[in-house]
Amino acid sequence: SVVGVSGNAGQCNYSASKAGMIGLAKSIAKEMGPRGIRANAIAPGFIITDMTDKLPDEVKEGWYKQIPLRRGGTPEDVAKVALFLASDLSSYVSGQVIHCCGAMNC
C-alpha cells in the first residue's frame, strides 16, 4: 500500500506493517541479488474491490478527488504491474517499490 511509504493518520499499525514489507523486499533484493533473485514491492493506492465498493458514494468521490487520475484503480491495474515484474521486461529491476496509485501520494 502507498501508506507504507507515506503513512496515514489513524492507520499507524497498517502503515508500519506495509513499511515492513517494503523493507523486507529491499533487503531480500540485496541479499539474494547475487543469486539472481529479484525482489520488489507493489504499492497500490485506492483499488476498487468488493470491500471499497461498499463505501458510500460520497466517500468514494472524496477519494477520487484526491487521485490525480480521478478514479480508483482496479485489481487488473495491479496485476499488470505484477506481470511486468514477473516478466523479462523487468530483468534489471530489483529492490524497488512500484506505486500503482494514479499518482495518489506521490
Side-chain angles (χ1 to χ4, degrees), residues 38-103:
R38 299 179 296 119
N40 295 288
I42 301 171
F46 187 88
I47 303 299
I48 301 166
T49 63
D50 289 343
M51 182 181 77
T52 60
D53 204 36
K54 293 176 183 167
L55 294 170
D57 287 340
E58 60 271 9
V59 171
K60 288 187 276 189
E61 289 302 318
W63 274 102
Y64 299 155
K65 288 178 183 175
Q66 296 177 43
I67 301 168
L69 291 183
R70 298 293 188 250
R71 67 174 181 88
T74 65
E76 291 79 10
D77 291 325
V78 179
K80 289 174 186 177
V81 175
L83 183 61
F84 165 72
L85 291 172
S87 77
D88 287 338
L89 294 172
S90 67
S91 65
Y92 200 58
V93 177
S94 192
Q96 301 304 305
V97 180
I98 310 295
H99 291 239
C100 184
C101 63

Side-chain angles (χ1 to χ4, degrees), residues 20-40 94-95:
M21 294 302 297
I22 290 168
L24 177 65
K26 289 179 173 288
S27 294
I28 288 172
K30 290 181 178 185
E31 184 173 332
M32 302 305 285
R35 296 182 181 152
I37 297 170
R38 299 179 296 119
N40 295 288
S94 192

